[in-house]
Amino acid sequence: MLEIKDLRATVGGKEILKGINLTIKPGEIHAVMGPNGAGKSTLSYVLSGRAGYEVTGGSVLYKGVDLLDMSPDERACRGLFLAFQYPVEIPGVASATFLKTAFNAQRKFRGEEELDAMQFLKLVRKKTTELGIKDDMLKRAVNVGFSGGEKKRNEVLQMALFEPDLMLLDETDSGLDIDALKVAADGVNRLRSPERSALIITHYQRLLDYIVPDFVHVLADGKIVKSGDKSLALELEEKGYAEISAA
Amino acid sequence: MKNRTPLAQSYLDRFETAVSTLPGHESRSVQALRRQGLDTFAALDFPHKRIEEWRYTNLSALTKATANEDIPSSDLDVIQTAALDAPFEMVFINGHFSSDESRLKELPEGITLGSIASSLGNGAVFSLSSEEDRALFALNTAFMEDGFSLHVDDHVQSETILKITFRNESGDQNGRHIRNVINLGIGSKLTLVEEHTGTGSYFSNPVTSISLSEGAALNHYKLQNESHYAYHLSLTDCENAKGSIYQNFTFSLGARISRNEIKTTILGSEAESHLNGAYLMRGKQHCDTTTLTEHKVPQNISSQVYKGVLDDDAHGVFQGKIHIFRDAQQVVGDQLSKALLLSDRAGVDCKPELEIHADDVKCSHGATSGELDEDALFYLQSRGIPEDRARKLLIEAFLADVMESIGDTPVKDYFNAIAASWLTEA
Amino acid sequence: MAVSQETVEQVASVSEKYKYGFVSDIEADMAPLGLNEDIVRFISAKKDEPEWMLEWRLKAYRYWLTMEEPTWANVDYPKIDFQDIYYYSAPKTKVNPKSLDEVDPELLEVYKKLGIPLKEQEVLAGVEGAYNVAVDAVFDSVSVATTFRERLEKEGVIFCPISEAIRNHPELVKKYMGSVVPYTDNYYSALNCAVFTDGSFCYIPKGVRCPMELSTYFRINAAQTGQFERTLIIAEDDSYVSYLEGCTAPMRDENQLHAAVVELIIMDNAEIKYSTVQNWYPGDENGVGGIYNFVTKRAACRGVNSKVSWTQVETGSAITWKYPSCILQGDNSVGEFYSIAITNNLQQADTGTKMIHLGKNTSSTIISKGISAGRAQSTYRGLVRMGKKAENARNHTVCDSLLIGDKCGAHTVPYIENQSRTAKIEHEATTSKVSEEQLFYCQQRGLSEEESMALIVNGFCKEVLQKLPMEFAVEAQKLVGISLEGSVG
C-alpha cells in the first residue's frame, strides 16, 4: 500500500523529517506516536501533498506509484484520505455542495459515473444516519461554527463517504471528549478491511484503545526510533517518550 | 484659456450645434438648463487624479483623445447567459428609446414609464437639475438625450420585475448621456433591474435621480456588463423620505474603466439605505465603486457591502463615505469592503471613510484585501477536488454572502449564473 | 446671575487645568521678526554651522517659497503670517554648558516646575522616584542641557543637541539628515529644513542596547516665536533604544507654530521605540490661543528584521497635524503605531500614520483611539500601502473613535492600497459614544461623573497606554482625565 524510504522534508528551510522508513501493507493499521515537534504533522502533510512542505530526499510509493509527484487532489482521488487535526472553516461553501463536488470529482477520476443531486443526497443521508450525524450539518458552511466534536464528525462522515484505501489520521483525538473519540474510532473501524490500511498519527495512546493498531512506531526528531506491536503504545504511556527515544 | 482635455474641448465645440438638435431644443427652460450644465462642465473639465474623490481612477485614456479608439466591434468579452425573465422591458439602443424592442404593454396600474426625450420635447425639466461640483453630472445635463422617467403612484406595490436595458455599440463620439428619473409615491414598492451592455468602444455616462416618498421601497439592481472597450461612468442619487427603503445592488463585470457612484441622502427618520455589490474584473479592467451616504436626520440605518474579485492586471477601487450630520442621532451605519486578488499584477485601493458629527451613533467599517485562503484550498484538494475547481468554489464562497443579499430570487439566480460563467472563463 | 457666575467658575477651573501654562521671565536673544534668507543665515551663524549646512538650509528655503500651504487636512485655522513670527529665540545665558552646574539656575527652576528630571546626581545617588532617563532640554530655539552624556558615551551612544552634532559629527548628519524626510517632502518640512533651530541627535552604535531611556523635553517660552525642532535618531545593526519626548508651552492668546521634523533610521535587527506625550497649550475653552503643531515624523526601517514603534498621546495643541510613518523597506521589518488623540473644546486634530510596505514579510499594526469632546474635531487619517514586492506583508488596523457630547466630530479617513496578491490587510473601525449605562454604573459605585468618564476613556485607550514606558504611562493616564475635564454635563 505505502512504502516510505528515507523520506526527508523541510519546512521553511528547516529540516523536519530526517529519513523516515515505513512500509504499510494492505489491511494493516499503523500508529505513529511521538512528542510535540517530532514531525508528526509534517509527515501527514508531506504524504497528502501540502504546499510549503518540501521533500528533499527519499521516496514514497503508494500502490506502487510515486506518490510525491501527484497533486493533493490526485492523491485523494486515488484513495488517500487525510483526517485533519484542525479541519478548516470555509465560509460560504455549503457542506452538501462541498461533499458532492468532492465525491463526484473522485468518481470522475476513477471513470465512474457522477451521481446526480438526488442520488447523492440519498447516499449522504444513509451515511449520516449510520453515524448519528444530524442532517442540518449539510446545510451549514463547511466546518463554520462547528464545535471541535462536530468538525471531527464531519471528517468521519467524509471518510465514510469517500471510502478511501489509505486513511491518515492526524491527531484525530486532540480536543475530543470520549464520546466524540468513539465516533471517530467507530468511523475508522467500520472501514477496516483486508484491502484498506490506516496510518494513525497521535501523541496519546488513548485513541489506540479504540482503534487497535497492528504496528506502533515512535517518531522522534524526524526519525522513527523504535517500532513494535500495540504493546509499545502502552509502554510509551507508562515510561514517556524520553526514555523510549533514548533507548 | 484653460488647458482643457481634448475630449472636454470637443464637447464644448459641439455644444452649440447639439443644443439646437437635442431633445427639448424648442424649449427655453431646457436650453437654459443645458447651458448651465455646460458652464459648470467647462469650468471643471473631466475629473482628474488631483481631485480627492478621483485619486484612484485615471480617466486620461478617455479624455486625451477626441475620437474613440478604433476597436472592431466585438462582443466576445461580454458574458452572456440565459436572460432574466422579466415581464416588462424597456430598451434603449445607443442611448435612444426603442419602442420596437421594448415590451411595455399592460404595465400594472399606477406605474408610469416614459422616455426622457419626450418629456424634454414637451419642455419639461421637472426634477432635472444641474450640479455645481460634479463634472460628469454637468456634462450629462448639457448633453442628455434620453433615458427613462418612472413614476409609481402612492400605495402601488408591484410584485413584478421591471427591466431597463441599455444596449450600446461603437459609433459617434457623442457618448451616451442617459438621464433617468425615478419617483416612488407614498407607500409604493417596485423592483427595477437596469442592464448595461454593448459592443466595441463607447463612453456611457448615465445619471439617475431617485426620489422615494414616505414608506416607499425600491429594489434597484444594476448589471454593468458593458463591452471591455467601453467607459462607463455612472452617477445615481437617491433621496430617502421617512420610512423609505432603498436597496441597491450593482454587479459589475464589464467596461475598460467603470465607475459606479452612488449618493444617498437620508432626509426622514426610520429610513434605510443598503448599497451592496460585487465586481469581477480581469484583463486591464478598472472598476471604481464610490458611495456617499448622508444621514441628515436621526434614527436611520445604512449599510454598504462590496466584494471584488480581481484577476490579471485588473484594478479595483472602493471609496465609501458615511456622513452623519449634527443632530442625526441614533444612526447605525456599517460598511464592508473585501477584495480578493487572484494575480500578482492585480491591485486594489480602498478608502472607507466616516465623517461623524453626532455622538449617539454606531458606525463601523471594515476592509480586507488578500488572496485565496491557502488552507481552505488545500483542504478541498485533499478531498479530491482539482485545484481550479477548488479555486472557483472558494471564489463563489467569497461572493456568496453578498449575492445572498439579493432579495429577488430571479435576479439572484440571474446574477449567480453570470458569475458562474465569468468563473468558467477564468 | 447664576449662569454667568457658573461660566466664570468654569473658565477659572479650565484655566487651572493646564498646569504648564506659566511664562518664565528669562531674557532672550531673538532674531529679527519675520523670515527671509538673512534670517536663515542668522540662525546658521548663531549655531556656528559649517557652510554645507547653510547651503542646505537655503536650498530648502528657496524650495519652500515655491510651495503652497496644504489644505487637505480636516483642520480650519486663519492663514498663518509667516512674517509675523520670530524664528530664533534663545535664553541669554551660556549656551552649550559643560555641565549642569553651568546652566542658568532660573532655567533649572523652569524644568523643576515642569517636573523634568535634569538632576543626574539624584539618579546616580539612587534617590527614590528619580527616573533613569537621559534628558535633552530644548528651550525655545536651543538645547539648554543634556544629561547623562558621559555615561552614554561610555557605551558609544551619542546623545546631544542636533546643532552640536552638526559641528561634531558632520559625517553622520550629512549622511542621514534629510534622507528620510527630504526638504522637498512637504510645506512644513521644507520650512523646518530652512529654519530648524534645535532638537536631539541620537546615535546608537552596532550591537548596543541603550542603557537608559533617552528623552527630549521641548518647551516654548518666548511670545510670538515658532519652534522648529529637528530630531535624528540612528540605530545601527542589532541596537535598541527607547526614546521619549514631551512638550509644553505657556498659555497665551496668540497661536504659536511648532513645525518639527523627526527622522529615524533603523538598520538590521535594530529597534527604536519612540514615545510622545504631546501637551502643548491647547488654547482656552473658546479656542483662543494654543499651539499649531504641524509635524513630520518618519521612520525608515532599512535593515532586515528592523522594528519601529511609534506611540503617541496627543492631548495638547490647538491644531495637530501629524502622521508618524514607517517605511518598511527591510525584509521582515515591523512598524507599529499606537495613538491616543484627545480633543476637547475647540481643538482640532488630524493625525494618523502611513505604513509603506516595500520589503517581504513586512508587518504593521495600527491602533488608533480618537476621543472628541466639546466642540472639537478629531480625524484619523492613515495610509497602508503594499508595494508589488511586499510579498506576504501583513497589516492590521484598528481605529476607534469615541464621541463625548453632540457638538464634536470624529472622522476616519483610511487609505488602503494593495498591489501585492500575497499581502493581507485587515482594517476595522468603529465610532461610538460612552454609554449612559457605563457612566451610571460607575457613578452608582461612587465615582463622580468626571471620574467615571476618565475611567471609561482610560479603558478605551488601554491598549495604547500599555505601550508607553511606565513613567510616561502614569503621566499619560492622568493627562487623559485632565484633558477631558469640563466635557461632561
Side-chain angles (χ1 to χ4, degrees), chain B residues 299-328:
Chain B
Q299 294 170 332
N300 299 294
I301 296 174
S302 75
S303 71
Q304 297 92 49
V305 178
Y306 286 90
K307 293 214 175 175
V309 179
L310 299 157
D311 202 353
D312 304 333
D313 297 278
H315 199 101
V317 175
F318 172 76
Q319 306 184 101
K321 182 170 177 178
I322 300 176
H323 184 174
I324 298 182
F325 284 69
R326 179 141 300 154
D327 302 327

mmCIF file of all heavy atoms in Angstrom, chain B residues 299-328:
data_model
loop_
_atom_site.group_PDB
_atom_site.id
_atom_site.type_symbol
_atom_site.label_atom_id
_atom_site.label_comp_id
_atom_site.label_asym_id
_atom_site.label_seq_id
_atom_site.Cartn_x
_atom_site.Cartn_y
_atom_site.Cartn_z
ATOM 1 N N GLN B 299 -32.201 58.579 13.604
ATOM 2 C CA GLN B 299 -32.850 57.263 13.527
ATOM 3 C C GLN B 299 -32.932 56.685 12.117
ATOM 4 O O GLN B 299 -34.004 56.569 11.537
ATOM 5 C CB GLN B 299 -34.252 57.336 14.139
ATOM 6 C CG GLN B 299 -34.179 57.609 15.625
ATOM 7 C CD GLN B 299 -35.529 57.918 16.227
ATOM 8 O OE1 GLN B 299 -36.415 58.428 15.553
ATOM 9 N NE2 GLN B 299 -35.670 57.603 17.492
ATOM 10 N N ASN B 300 -31.792 56.330 11.604
ATOM 11 C CA ASN B 300 -31.735 55.696 10.285
ATOM 12 C C ASN B 300 -30.746 54.559 10.308
ATOM 13 O O ASN B 300 -29.933 54.446 11.213
ATOM 14 C CB ASN B 300 -31.243 56.685 9.242
ATOM 15 C CG ASN B 300 -32.162 57.853 9.128
ATOM 16 O OD1 ASN B 300 -33.291 57.685 8.709
ATOM 17 N ND2 ASN B 300 -31.715 59.007 9.543
ATOM 18 N N ILE B 301 -30.817 53.786 9.252
ATOM 19 C CA ILE B 301 -29.864 52.690 9.117
ATOM 20 C C ILE B 301 -29.268 52.748 7.714
ATOM 21 O O ILE B 301 -29.987 52.964 6.738
ATOM 22 C CB ILE B 301 -30.577 51.326 9.289
ATOM 23 C CG1 ILE B 301 -31.145 51.216 10.707
ATOM 24 C CG2 ILE B 301 -29.626 50.173 9.012
ATOM 25 C CD1 ILE B 301 -31.983 49.982 10.929
ATOM 26 N N SER B 302 -27.974 52.558 7.630
ATOM 27 C CA SER B 302 -27.401 52.411 6.292
ATOM 28 C C SER B 302 -26.336 51.338 6.313
ATOM 29 O O SER B 302 -25.721 51.068 7.343
ATOM 30 C CB SER B 302 -26.792 53.731 5.805
ATOM 31 O OG SER B 302 -25.578 53.988 6.457
ATOM 32 N N SER B 303 -26.134 50.713 5.178
ATOM 33 C CA SER B 303 -25.064 49.726 5.091
ATOM 34 C C SER B 303 -24.516 49.677 3.674
ATOM 35 O O SER B 303 -25.206 50.014 2.720
ATOM 36 C CB SER B 303 -25.572 48.336 5.497
ATOM 37 O OG SER B 303 -26.434 47.833 4.507
ATOM 38 N N GLN B 304 -23.266 49.303 3.584
ATOM 39 C CA GLN B 304 -22.641 49.070 2.277
ATOM 40 C C GLN B 304 -21.779 47.810 2.394
ATOM 41 O O GLN B 304 -20.995 47.700 3.334
ATOM 42 C CB GLN B 304 -21.711 50.224 1.868
ATOM 43 C CG GLN B 304 -22.386 51.574 1.675
ATOM 44 C CD GLN B 304 -22.382 52.392 2.944
ATOM 45 O OE1 GLN B 304 -21.360 52.534 3.586
ATOM 46 N NE2 GLN B 304 -23.536 52.913 3.328
ATOM 47 N N VAL B 305 -21.989 46.906 1.467
ATOM 48 C CA VAL B 305 -21.134 45.721 1.408
ATOM 49 C C VAL B 305 -20.715 45.510 -0.039
ATOM 50 O O VAL B 305 -21.568 45.329 -0.915
ATOM 51 C CB VAL B 305 -21.856 44.450 1.908
ATOM 52 C CG1 VAL B 305 -20.942 43.235 1.780
ATOM 53 C CG2 VAL B 305 -22.312 44.612 3.357
ATOM 54 N N TYR B 306 -19.435 45.573 -0.292
ATOM 55 C CA TYR B 306 -18.951 45.348 -1.661
ATOM 56 C C TYR B 306 -17.852 44.299 -1.660
ATOM 57 O O TYR B 306 -16.969 44.322 -0.802
ATOM 58 C CB TYR B 306 -18.443 46.656 -2.281
ATOM 59 C CG TYR B 306 -19.575 47.573 -2.665
ATOM 60 C CD1 TYR B 306 -20.079 48.497 -1.768
ATOM 61 C CD2 TYR B 306 -20.181 47.463 -3.912
ATOM 62 C CE1 TYR B 306 -21.156 49.316 -2.102
ATOM 63 C CE2 TYR B 306 -21.249 48.271 -4.268
ATOM 64 C CZ TYR B 306 -21.736 49.191 -3.354
ATOM 65 O OH TYR B 306 -22.805 49.989 -3.690
ATOM 66 N N LYS B 307 -17.944 43.394 -2.631
ATOM 67 C CA LYS B 307 -16.913 42.375 -2.747
ATOM 68 C C LYS B 307 -16.368 42.357 -4.165
ATOM 69 O O LYS B 307 -17.138 42.409 -5.119
ATOM 70 C CB LYS B 307 -17.516 41.007 -2.417
ATOM 71 C CG LYS B 307 -17.924 40.909 -0.957
ATOM 72 C CD LYS B 307 -17.716 39.519 -0.448
ATOM 73 C CE LYS B 307 -17.992 39.455 1.031
ATOM 74 N NZ LYS B 307 -17.912 38.072 1.503
ATOM 75 N N GLY B 308 -15.071 42.268 -4.259
ATOM 76 C CA GLY B 308 -14.466 42.309 -5.579
ATOM 77 C C GLY B 308 -13.481 41.179 -5.800
ATOM 78 O O GLY B 308 -12.762 40.781 -4.879
ATOM 79 N N VAL B 309 -13.483 40.655 -7.012
ATOM 80 C CA VAL B 309 -12.518 39.628 -7.401
ATOM 81 C C VAL B 309 -11.696 40.204 -8.548
ATOM 82 O O VAL B 309 -12.258 40.659 -9.549
ATOM 83 C CB VAL B 309 -13.234 38.334 -7.846
ATOM 84 C CG1 VAL B 309 -12.211 37.292 -8.280
ATOM 85 C CG2 VAL B 309 -14.118 37.808 -6.734
ATOM 86 N N LEU B 310 -10.372 40.197 -8.384
ATOM 87 C CA LEU B 310 -9.515 40.860 -9.359
ATOM 88 C C LEU B 310 -8.458 39.904 -9.877
ATOM 89 O O LEU B 310 -7.659 39.373 -9.110
ATOM 90 C CB LEU B 310 -8.849 42.074 -8.702
ATOM 91 C CG LEU B 310 -9.858 43.127 -8.216
ATOM 92 C CD1 LEU B 310 -9.272 43.994 -7.122
ATOM 93 C CD2 LEU B 310 -10.339 43.977 -9.377
ATOM 94 N N ASP B 311 -8.477 39.702 -11.186
ATOM 95 C CA ASP B 311 -7.516 38.793 -11.806
ATOM 96 C C ASP B 311 -6.630 39.594 -12.782
ATOM 97 O O ASP B 311 -6.895 40.761 -13.047
ATOM 98 C CB ASP B 311 -8.298 37.685 -12.538
ATOM 99 C CG ASP B 311 -7.431 36.435 -12.727
ATOM 100 O OD1 ASP B 311 -6.229 36.482 -12.430
ATOM 101 O OD2 ASP B 311 -7.975 35.417 -13.180
ATOM 102 N N ASP B 312 -5.645 38.966 -13.329
ATOM 103 C CA ASP B 312 -4.746 39.573 -14.324
ATOM 104 C C ASP B 312 -4.203 40.924 -13.839
ATOM 105 O O ASP B 312 -3.674 41.013 -12.760
ATOM 106 C CB ASP B 312 -5.462 39.732 -15.679
ATOM 107 C CG ASP B 312 -6.013 38.422 -16.202
ATOM 108 O OD1 ASP B 312 -5.440 37.382 -15.839
ATOM 109 O OD2 ASP B 312 -7.011 38.426 -16.929
ATOM 110 N N ASP B 313 -4.405 41.964 -14.693
ATOM 111 C CA ASP B 313 -3.928 43.304 -14.337
ATOM 112 C C ASP B 313 -5.058 44.183 -13.826
ATOM 113 O O ASP B 313 -4.932 45.403 -13.799
ATOM 114 C CB ASP B 313 -3.312 43.974 -15.572
ATOM 115 C CG ASP B 313 -2.094 43.233 -16.070
ATOM 116 O OD1 ASP B 313 -1.014 43.445 -15.512
ATOM 117 O OD2 ASP B 313 -2.234 42.411 -16.991
ATOM 118 N N ALA B 314 -6.158 43.565 -13.461
ATOM 119 C CA ALA B 314 -7.336 44.362 -13.093
ATOM 120 C C ALA B 314 -7.106 45.141 -11.819
ATOM 121 O O ALA B 314 -6.290 44.778 -10.976
ATOM 122 C CB ALA B 314 -8.543 43.451 -12.944
ATOM 123 N N HIS B 315 -7.855 46.222 -11.715
ATOM 124 C CA HIS B 315 -7.698 47.114 -10.567
ATOM 125 C C HIS B 315 -9.069 47.469 -10.003
ATOM 126 O O HIS B 315 -9.972 47.819 -10.739
ATOM 127 C CB HIS B 315 -6.969 48.383 -11.014
ATOM 128 C CG HIS B 315 -6.378 49.122 -9.876
ATOM 129 N ND1 HIS B 315 -5.044 49.052 -9.550
ATOM 130 C CD2 HIS B 315 -6.946 49.905 -8.940
ATOM 131 C CE1 HIS B 315 -4.817 49.786 -8.474
ATOM 132 N NE2 HIS B 315 -5.970 50.316 -8.077
ATOM 133 N N GLY B 316 -9.193 47.362 -8.715
ATOM 134 C CA GLY B 316 -10.461 47.694 -8.062
ATOM 135 C C GLY B 316 -10.293 48.882 -7.142
ATOM 136 O O GLY B 316 -9.222 49.103 -6.577
ATOM 137 N N VAL B 317 -11.361 49.655 -7.022
ATOM 138 C CA VAL B 317 -11.353 50.808 -6.123
ATOM 139 C C VAL B 317 -12.652 50.794 -5.336
ATOM 140 O O VAL B 317 -13.717 50.591 -5.916
ATOM 141 C CB VAL B 317 -11.272 52.142 -6.919
ATOM 142 C CG1 VAL B 317 -11.389 53.339 -5.990
ATOM 143 C CG2 VAL B 317 -9.993 52.211 -7.732
ATOM 144 N N PHE B 318 -12.547 50.972 -4.032
ATOM 145 C CA PHE B 318 -13.757 51.200 -3.258
ATOM 146 C C PHE B 318 -13.554 52.438 -2.396
ATOM 147 O O PHE B 318 -12.617 52.522 -1.606
ATOM 148 C CB PHE B 318 -14.103 50.004 -2.362
ATOM 149 C CG PHE B 318 -15.248 50.310 -1.422
ATOM 150 C CD1 PHE B 318 -16.547 50.337 -1.914
ATOM 151 C CD2 PHE B 318 -15.023 50.617 -0.102
ATOM 152 C CE1 PHE B 318 -17.611 50.664 -1.074
ATOM 153 C CE2 PHE B 318 -16.081 50.953 0.745
ATOM 154 C CZ PHE B 318 -17.374 50.969 0.255
ATOM 155 N N GLN B 319 -14.428 53.404 -2.571
ATOM 156 C CA GLN B 319 -14.417 54.583 -1.710
ATOM 157 C C GLN B 319 -15.822 54.702 -1.148
ATOM 158 O O GLN B 319 -16.775 54.854 -1.902
ATOM 159 C CB GLN B 319 -14.111 55.851 -2.500
ATOM 160 C CG GLN B 319 -12.844 55.781 -3.325
ATOM 161 C CD GLN B 319 -12.552 57.105 -4.010
ATOM 162 O OE1 GLN B 319 -11.728 57.873 -3.562
ATOM 163 N NE2 GLN B 319 -13.251 57.384 -5.092
ATOM 164 N N GLY B 320 -15.943 54.585 0.135
ATOM 165 C CA GLY B 320 -17.281 54.674 0.717
ATOM 166 C C GLY B 320 -17.248 55.648 1.862
ATOM 167 O O GLY B 320 -16.385 55.576 2.723
ATOM 168 N N LYS B 321 -18.166 56.559 1.870
ATOM 169 C CA LYS B 321 -18.182 57.533 2.957
ATOM 170 C C LYS B 321 -19.547 57.553 3.622
ATOM 171 O O LYS B 321 -20.567 57.603 2.951
ATOM 172 C CB LYS B 321 -17.842 58.915 2.407
ATOM 173 C CG LYS B 321 -17.786 59.993 3.472
ATOM 174 C CD LYS B 321 -17.199 61.268 2.887
ATOM 175 C CE LYS B 321 -17.208 62.379 3.918
ATOM 176 N NZ LYS B 321 -16.603 63.600 3.382
ATOM 177 N N ILE B 322 -19.515 57.483 4.929
ATOM 178 C CA ILE B 322 -20.739 57.673 5.694
ATOM 179 C C ILE B 322 -20.612 59.024 6.370
ATOM 180 O O ILE B 322 -19.646 59.277 7.097
ATOM 181 C CB ILE B 322 -20.918 56.571 6.768
ATOM 182 C CG1 ILE B 322 -20.988 55.196 6.106
ATOM 183 C CG2 ILE B 322 -22.176 56.817 7.592
ATOM 184 C CD1 ILE B 322 -21.057 54.040 7.103
ATOM 185 N N HIS B 323 -21.547 59.894 6.123
ATOM 186 C CA HIS B 323 -21.504 61.245 6.679
ATOM 187 C C HIS B 323 -22.727 61.428 7.577
ATOM 188 O O HIS B 323 -23.854 61.362 7.100
ATOM 189 C CB HIS B 323 -21.510 62.255 5.529
ATOM 190 C CG HIS B 323 -21.381 63.682 5.982
ATOM 191 N ND1 HIS B 323 -21.243 64.726 5.133
ATOM 192 C CD2 HIS B 323 -21.358 64.218 7.222
ATOM 193 C CE1 HIS B 323 -21.140 65.872 5.816
ATOM 194 N NE2 HIS B 323 -21.219 65.575 7.094
ATOM 195 N N ILE B 324 -22.467 61.605 8.852
ATOM 196 C CA ILE B 324 -23.573 61.794 9.782
ATOM 197 C C ILE B 324 -23.577 63.241 10.241
ATOM 198 O O ILE B 324 -22.617 63.724 10.849
ATOM 199 C CB ILE B 324 -23.467 60.809 10.957
ATOM 200 C CG1 ILE B 324 -23.572 59.396 10.381
ATOM 201 C CG2 ILE B 324 -24.561 61.077 11.989
ATOM 202 C CD1 ILE B 324 -23.542 58.298 11.376
ATOM 203 N N PHE B 325 -24.650 63.932 9.923
ATOM 204 C CA PHE B 325 -24.736 65.360 10.229
ATOM 205 C C PHE B 325 -25.021 65.577 11.710
ATOM 206 O O PHE B 325 -25.481 64.673 12.409
ATOM 207 C CB PHE B 325 -25.837 66.005 9.369
ATOM 208 C CG PHE B 325 -25.422 66.208 7.940
ATOM 209 C CD1 PHE B 325 -25.241 65.115 7.103
ATOM 210 C CD2 PHE B 325 -25.182 67.472 7.428
ATOM 211 C CE1 PHE B 325 -24.839 65.278 5.780
ATOM 212 C CE2 PHE B 325 -24.787 67.646 6.112
ATOM 213 C CZ PHE B 325 -24.616 66.540 5.288
ATOM 214 N N ARG B 326 -24.755 66.793 12.156
ATOM 215 C CA ARG B 326 -25.040 67.153 13.544
ATOM 216 C C ARG B 326 -26.507 66.858 13.834
ATOM 217 O O ARG B 326 -27.367 67.079 12.988
ATOM 218 C CB ARG B 326 -24.739 68.647 13.741
ATOM 219 C CG ARG B 326 -25.024 69.120 15.134
ATOM 220 C CD ARG B 326 -23.979 70.104 15.600
ATOM 221 N NE ARG B 326 -22.663 69.494 15.607
ATOM 222 C CZ ARG B 326 -21.540 70.164 15.483
ATOM 223 N NH1 ARG B 326 -21.553 71.449 15.308
ATOM 224 N NH2 ARG B 326 -20.389 69.533 15.515
ATOM 225 N N ASP B 327 -26.772 66.328 14.999
ATOM 226 C CA ASP B 327 -28.128 66.015 15.468
ATOM 227 C C ASP B 327 -28.743 64.779 14.809
ATOM 228 O O ASP B 327 -29.848 64.387 15.152
ATOM 229 C CB ASP B 327 -29.095 67.200 15.289
ATOM 230 C CG ASP B 327 -28.593 68.428 16.029
ATOM 231 O OD1 ASP B 327 -27.961 68.242 17.087
ATOM 232 O OD2 ASP B 327 -28.802 69.545 15.536
ATOM 233 N N ALA B 328 -28.062 64.183 13.861
ATOM 234 C CA ALA B 328 -28.604 62.954 13.271
ATOM 235 C C ALA B 328 -28.262 61.798 14.214
ATOM 236 O O ALA B 328 -27.409 60.951 13.931
ATOM 237 C CB ALA B 328 -28.030 62.726 11.885
#
